[in-house]
Amino acid sequence: MTSEILHDPIASRLGYLLRRASSAMMADLGRALGEIALRPVEGTILILIGANPDCTQSDLGRMLGIGRTNMVPLISALSKRGYLDKSPVDGRSFALTLTKSGEEARRQVDKIMDAHEERFARLIVGQDVAGLRTALALIAAQPEDVPPS
């Protein structure tokens, strides 16, 4: 049986659609950022540090939902590429800022992400995009507040 004739009983389920949409968008973004040798998470980190100079690795991890053990290699890799400066805050934490090359990479990431967003926004022209963004933000921010069915 080929996928063309398979019945898909979950095709209209919200979680399934969100995962498929996210996979499509992230794969596209990954290809685009790959042209400047960055992954989406690395580009996101550069944007966040640019918007929040002197934030800590822990701050970023909490914001992105990434644990310490996964943040350490991400920050280390960006530092080795010369994109980040680290300044001691206390015995264990470092304030993170972008270097000149980090700021240039952040600008490139912003341009790529803007073009990426525009491509996907064209698919849903005429739809309530603001409402969609609001709904997705609610889902992302409040999963524990969803009432049981």
Side-chain angles (χ1 to χ4, degrees):
M1 188 178 259
T2 67
S3 63
E4 295 163 4
I5 57 174
L6 285 178
H7 173 65
D8 190 354
I10 62 172
S12 65
R13 294 187 184 252
L14 184 58
Y16 181 75
L17 289 169
L18 287 169
R19 185 185 61 75
R20 295 289 306 265
S22 176
S23 292
M25 288 187 77
M26 294 309 289
D28 181 77
L29 182 59
R31 281 188 295 277
L33 288 174
E35 293 177 17
I36 60 169
L38 286 170
R39 296 178 294 150
V41 69
E42 294 167 325
T44 301
I45 289 169
L46 291 176
I47 288 173
L48 289 173
I49 294 171
N52 301 283
D54 296 325
C55 63
T56 66
Q57 180 175 299
S58 298
D59 295 332
L60 292 173
R62 276 190 298 281
M63 180 177 271
L64 295 172
I66 298 174
R68 177 175 160 58
T69 56
N70 292 325
M71 280 300 295
V72 169
L74 290 167
I75 297 300
S76 178
L78 291 169
S79 293
K80 285 180 184 169
R81 290 179 69 174
Y83 291 161
L84 303 179
D85 276 331
K86 295 179 183 182
S87 306
V89 172
D90 60 34
R92 298 180 63 176
S93 297
F94 291 90
L96 303 171
T97 56
L98 297 178
T99 61
K100 187 174 179 177
S101 61
E103 181 55 34
E104 176 54 34
R106 187 212 50 82
R107 279 193 291 276
Q108 289 179 297
V109 169
D110 261 335
K111 283 183 183 179
I112 290 168
M113 285 187 173
D114 286 347
H116 166 78
E117 288 277 318
E118 287 173 24
R119 275 195 309 280
F120 281 89
R122 283 194 300 269
L123 292 174
I124 53 178
V125 166
Q127 303 298 315
D128 182 7
V129 177
L132 175 61
R133 288 180 194 277
T134 299
L136 292 173
L138 285 169
I139 291 169
Q142 303 298 327
E144 65 277 354
D145 291 343
V146 175
S149 45

